Amino acid sequence: MLNVHNLSVSFGGEYLFEEISFRLNAGNRAGLVGKNGAGKSTLLKLLNKDMALDTGVIAIEKDIKIGFLRQDIDFVEGRSVLEEAYQAFEEIKSLELKLDEINKQLAERTDYESDSYSQLIVDLSDITHHYEILGGYNYQGETEKILQGLGFRREDFDKKTETFSGGWRMRIELAKLLLQTNDVLLLDEPTNHLDIESIIWFEQFLNNYTGAVVIVSHDKMFLDNVTNRTIEISLGRIYDYNKPYTEYLVLRNEIKQQQVNAQKNQEKEIQQAERLIEKFRAKSTKASMAQSLIKKLDKIERIEVDEDDNSVMSLRFPISVTPGKVVVEIEELSKAYGDNLVLNDINLLIERDSKTAFVGQNGQGKSTLAKIIVGELKHDGHLKLGHNVQIGYFAQNQAEYLDGNKTILDTMIDAANEKNRSKVRDILGSFLFRGDEVDKYVKVLSGGERNRLALAKMLLQPFNVLVMDEPTNHLDIKSKNVLKQACLNFEGTLILVSHDRDFLQGLTNKVYEFKDQKIREYLGDVDFYLEQRKVENFRAIEKKQTVVVEKAKPKASNSFQDQKKLKSLKNQLSSVESKIGSLEKEIKDIDHNLLVDYDATIAKPDFFEGYQAKKKKLETLMQNWETLTIDIDELA
């Protein structure tokens, strides 16, 4: 379907990735992961031919259609939500115009016996038939179904797209992509603007999608629920395994541990051989033996251990003075945007040191209440901040407030005061902006790097109440873990607006669900909230059970041949496992003999050749085991 061979891309003389190769087949749902700035979004642009590659080849089969969900979108003003979504059906809409024109002519003309009138009848029949084949009589219903799955209500369909926030416009773009007949989907951070219910719906859609999908995402739970393959970009290389993200991490660690063990054993062999060479070299009678050992050492292929990029930012939020027991008190608060009432008669009490999550569908008022608490929005009703309350606020679009024409260093210096200006470089270093990187302009940073810079700015002022609105958007998985740990360690009051289930797990002790202009309290973390919603909401039960059943149900073999092949593969696997066990025992016994009596062990004829042959055979058997396991999983 799509083949990448020896692909290399560099910026400023440094390679993002060098000579990487992989192939995408139908049914592959690959999670593309890696640190911010590793080149994930760049790779998607290359696959979509939005960028020129330095070297290598991207071969795409004929007639393959690729759909790309970008982070930047541009809509034509004046279209309704439905009209914009219908843009996914360019050919159908074009045929509708032709049909309208033909029907208009047929209604106006009276030259019924003419050849041109007869041709209009023929054209009407041909175009109508083509229109029907393309799904012209079904696309409107399908569009409404997809839009509702992504959280739109029927009353939203006729509203203009420019009246919606950037997050909702991104949902419209995603709906257009899902409505198209694409063979490959390239999705760059698709869940950033989706709430929990929409993510569950989206997971079901992707699990039923028959084409190939490449997903850049930092939502670990989403990746585990959707992907069957992981491609990690790290230090210019890629690591590609047919496993969802969490299983991939386990496998990578196991492989790396095997490499470490094999490297240690090889180093012992090399050191022993070098000692013998040194010992034999001085004796004329054994000089030829020394030369033979030297030649063998030269031929040994040195085992390398995969190098990991383990650099992570360092984050600890500064705490200021201790506030009063009640930090936020809200009574009969309401907020409307014109005729749109978002919050109605809200009552809320937030106490010192509490950890609170705001959850619910987008557009229900979560971010609105956060902005009201920090004083950014006017409202009706009463809101009172407690004694000595000092708020730190991370907005959902915090990175957009950064000046793209400033450097990273200037951004921090301008936000610092006399006391901490001297610490700016140290703070930037702890956020992985080191050396000459601090002179980069903000406009060239990736979304994750901008978010890291925005977080770094927060360390310049102490606070005792931290309000964060979707702080994990664009952050890589390692940075998200660091942020979560910083939130766990924060000794003040925490208010989080987030749809990231993995991030919220175990982080809060209270959840407020926003729905139908009201809020409802759940005394627990996000897992407790989801369990409670499952009990009381049958729609949520149905969604959650469907996901579980589809993920757990084994794929049925569809023929006698499949069953026969499966049995053969299992027999081969059993044989390979038996051989691996025997060979591992032999190598273990040899290693033991080397430790007990090295000279006697290596004195055996062709010892080194035999030892290396056993290890090489074990490596081949392990590869066969992995291939057989994957083949069995696909047939089972």
Side-chain angles (χ1 to χ4, degrees):
M1 184 173 276
L2 188 152
N3 192 34
V4 175
H5 182 66
N6 285 346
L7 179 65
S8 298
V9 171
S10 62
F11 289 100
E14 291 187 11
Y15 280 102
L16 265 180
F17 33 79
E18 186 174 9
E19 296 187 350
I20 64 172
S21 299
F22 62 91
R23 179 176 176 81
L24 280 179
N25 296 311
N28 286 165
R29 295 189 299 276
L32 184 58
V33 301
K35 285 184 57 183
N36 293 136
K40 304 183 296 296
S41 296
T42 298
L43 182 54
L44 291 190
K45 290 174 183 175
L46 289 166
L47 296 178
N48 198 53
K49 298 189 175 179
D50 286 0
M51 287 179 61
L53 46 87
D54 289 353
T55 59
V57 176
I58 299 178
I60 302 172
E61 291 178 13
K62 189 179 179 182
D63 298 328
I64 291 294
K65 291 183 180 179
I66 296 178
F68 184 20
L69 180 69
R70 298 174 175 84
Q71 287 298 303
D72 50 331
I73 53 174
D74 187 21
F75 287 167
V76 174
E77 286 194 11
R79 287 179 184 159
S80 69
V81 171
L82 268 182
E83 288 169 341
E84 185 61 46
Y86 289 158
Q87 299 307 306
F89 305 98
E90 291 182 19
E91 192 172 0
I92 288 177
K93 299 300 288 184
S94 174
L95 292 177
E96 282 183 344
L97 292 175
K98 291 179 181 178
L99 289 172
D100 288 344
E101 179 60 30
I102 291 173
N103 285 318
K104 182 181 177 184
Q105 290 188 49
L106 290 174
E108 292 175 351
R109 290 173 58 168
T110 57
D111 55 331
Y112 307 124
E113 304 299 324
S114 68
D115 290 341
S116 60
Y117 192 91
S118 297
Q119 185 60 47
L120 281 178
I121 299 294
V122 172
D123 290 344
L124 178 64
S125 176
D126 290 345
I127 294 173
T128 300
H129 180 62
H130 191 198
Y131 182 78
E132 185 176 356
I133 289 174
L134 290 176
Y137 298 112
N138 303 319
Y139 79 93
Q140 293 178 332
E142 188 65 21
T143 301
E144 293 183 11
K145 177 183 170 184
I146 295 289
L147 286 171
Q148 287 180 309
L150 290 172
F152 289 94
R153 297 167 296 183
R154 287 193 173 275
E155 51 264 37
D156 296 326
F157 290 169
D158 295 323
K159 295 178 182 177
K160 302 300 179 187
T161 58
E162 56 264 29
T163 64
F164 288 86
S165 67
W168 282 96
R169 288 200 294 272
M170 184 62 75
R171 290 189 190 210
I172 300 171
E173 188 68 13
L174 179 58
K176 287 162 60 178
L177 194 67
L178 301 185
L179 287 163
Q180 294 167 357
T181 53
N182 292 303
D183 303 291
V184 180
L185 292 179
L186 307 176
L187 306 174
D188 195 357
E189 304 274 17
T191 62
N192 270 1
H193 301 286
L194 299 182
D195 51 58
I196 290 173
E197 287 192 53
S198 296
I199 290 174
I200 292 171
W201 176 88
F202 189 39
E203 288 173 353
Q204 291 174 299
F205 181 95
L206 290 177
N207 282 323
N208 292 322
Y209 180 70
T210 56
V213 188
V214 182
I215 307 167
V216 173
S217 178
H218 300 129
D219 185 336
K220 187 168 72 174
M221 193 173 292
F222 174 70
L223 288 173
D224 282 343
N225 287 342
V226 169
T227 61
N228 53 22
R229 179 178 176 184
T230 300
I231 302 174
E232 180 181 10
I233 303 177
S234 178
L235 299 173
R237 297 180 59 188
I238 65 165
Y239 300 91
D240 183 3
Y241 292 94
N242 291 323
K243 299 285 184 184
Y245 183 71
T246 299
E247 291 181 33
Y248 157 76
L249 288 179
V250 173
L251 181 60
R252 275 273 284 130
N253 286 333
E254 289 175 356
I255 291 171
K256 187 176 178 183
Q257 190 57 50
Q258 289 173 6
Q259 291 173 339
V260 169
N261 294 337
Q263 189 185 59
K264 285 180 180 177
N265 287 333
Q266 187 183 64
E267 281 299 316
K268 286 180 184 177
E269 295 169 20
I270 291 170
Q271 288 169 12
Q272 293 282 10
E274 287 173 343
R275 281 197 292 268
L276 285 174
I277 290 168
E278 199 62 36
K279 183 178 176 182
F280 294 157
R281 185 178 282 159
K283 299 178 181 179
S284 57
T285 55
K286 300 207 175 168
S288 60
M289 190 180 292
Q291 288 300 317
S292 176
L293 285 171
I294 290 170
K295 287 178 182 178
K296 288 177 182 177
L297 276 183
D298 289 340
K299 290 179 182 178
I300 290 177
E301 188 175 335
R302 304 294 172 114
I303 296 169
E304 293 184 358
V305 177
D306 293 338
E307 190 178 354
D308 288 335
D309 188 351
N310 292 316
S311 54
V312 293
M313 64 180 182
S314 174
L315 179 57
R316 192 172 187 90
F317 293 115
I319 192 78
S320 63
V321 297
T322 302
K325 184 177 180 181
V326 175
V327 295
V328 180
E329 187 175 3
I330 294 173
E331 292 182 353
E332 299 177 353
L333 183 146
S334 299
K335 175 62 183 177
Y337 295 96
D339 295 331
N340 182 21
L341 183 62
V342 179
L343 298 171
N344 184 29
D345 198 23
I346 299 297
N347 295 287
L348 177 66
L349 190 73
I350 296 178
E351 296 184 336
R352 182 181 63 217
D353 299 338
S354 60
K355 313 292 182 185
T356 304
F358 289 174
V359 302
Q361 287 188 330
N362 286 355
Q364 296 292 328
K366 305 185 303 294
S367 296
T368 295
L369 186 58
K371 289 177 181 177
I372 289 172
I373 290 172
V374 301
E376 281 200 0
L377 288 178
K378 294 181 179 179
H379 57 89
D380 296 322
H382 305 284
L383 183 147
K384 181 182 177 183
L385 296 181
H387 177 65
N388 276 343
V389 166
Q390 297 174 358
I391 296 178
Y393 177 48
F394 186 93
Q396 184 172 351
N397 57 343
Q398 187 78 28
E400 294 177 14
Y401 291 119
L402 301 173
D403 187 343
N405 294 316
K406 284 184 179 180
T407 66
I408 294 172
L409 183 60
D410 288 341
T411 300
M412 289 290 286
I413 288 175
D414 292 347
N417 55 39
E418 292 296 329
K419 291 182 179 179
N420 55 28
R421 192 163 288 130
S422 61
K423 299 178 182 178
V424 160
R425 282 186 177 272
D426 290 337
I427 294 173
L428 285 174
S430 69
F431 280 79
L432 307 182
F433 297 115
R434 295 164 184 155
D436 294 339
E437 286 190 343
V438 300
D439 295 321
K440 282 184 179 179
Y441 283 95
V442 171
K443 60 187 175 186
V444 304
L445 301 179
S446 69
E449 288 170 324
R450 291 190 188 199
N451 262 24
R452 289 212 314 263
L453 180 57
L455 283 168
K457 279 183 67 179
M458 294 190 70
L459 270 62
L460 296 172
Q461 300 293 335
F463 42 79
N464 50 35
V465 177
L466 177 57
V467 181
M468 307 191 87
D469 190 357
E470 301 292 2
T472 62
N473 283 358
H474 303 292
L475 286 182
D476 60 63
I477 291 171
K478 288 182 179 177
S479 295
K480 277 169 55 175
N481 291 338
V482 172
L483 176 60
K484 181 172 182 176
Q485 192 59 48
C487 289
L488 285 168
N489 294 335
F490 181 58
E491 297 175 357
T493 306
L494 184 64
I495 301 173
L496 286 171
V497 180
S498 180
H499 65 259
D500 190 328
R501 295 161 291 175
D502 182 60
F503 178 72
L504 288 176
Q505 279 180 327
L507 189 51
T508 62
N509 49 32
K510 190 177 294 185
V511 173
Y512 285 99
E513 180 188 34
F514 286 63
K515 192 172 185 179
D516 299 329
Q517 304 160 1
K518 300 290 185 181
I519 63 173
R520 180 172 178 180
E521 182 183 69
Y522 294 83
L523 298 175
D525 72 350
V526 69
D527 285 339
F528 175 79
Y529 157 72
L530 286 173
E531 285 299 316
Q532 292 297 305
R533 289 278 280 116
K534 189 178 80 169
V535 169
E536 70 178 31
N537 187 303
F538 287 98
R539 183 164 172 263
I541 288 176
E542 185 178 341
K543 282 186 176 183
K544 198 150 188 176
Q545 285 180 341
T546 302
V547 173
V548 171
V549 169
E550 288 184 1
K551 293 292 287 184
K553 185 173 65 176
K555 187 169 66 176
S557 293
N558 47 21
S559 71
F560 172 75
Q561 291 298 326
D562 283 348
Q563 294 285 3
K564 189 175 178 182
K565 185 177 180 182
L566 183 61
K567 185 176 180 181
S568 173
L569 288 171
K570 286 183 176 179
N571 288 337
Q572 291 177 52
L573 183 66
S574 178
S575 174
V576 169
E577 286 176 341
S578 176
K579 290 176 182 176
I580 288 172
S582 298
L583 204 52
E584 284 180 335
K585 185 178 185 305
E586 288 179 33
I587 292 171
K588 186 178 179 182
D589 289 342
I590 293 171
D591 289 340
H592 176 73
N593 292 336
L594 283 169
L595 291 172
V596 173
D597 191 348
Y598 178 81
D599 290 335
T601 305
I602 66 166
K604 295 175 183 177
D606 300 323
F607 168 77
F608 283 113
E609 290 86 345
Y611 187 46
Q612 287 299 329
K614 289 180 187 294
K615 298 182 80 172
K616 195 72 177 176
K617 186 178 179 181
L618 179 61
E619 184 180 334
T620 302
L621 286 170
M622 291 298 292
Q623 290 173 352
N624 291 344
W625 180 87
E626 183 180 346
T627 302
L628 286 167
T629 302
I630 291 169
D631 290 344
I632 288 170
D633 285 345
E634 289 176 352
L635 274 176

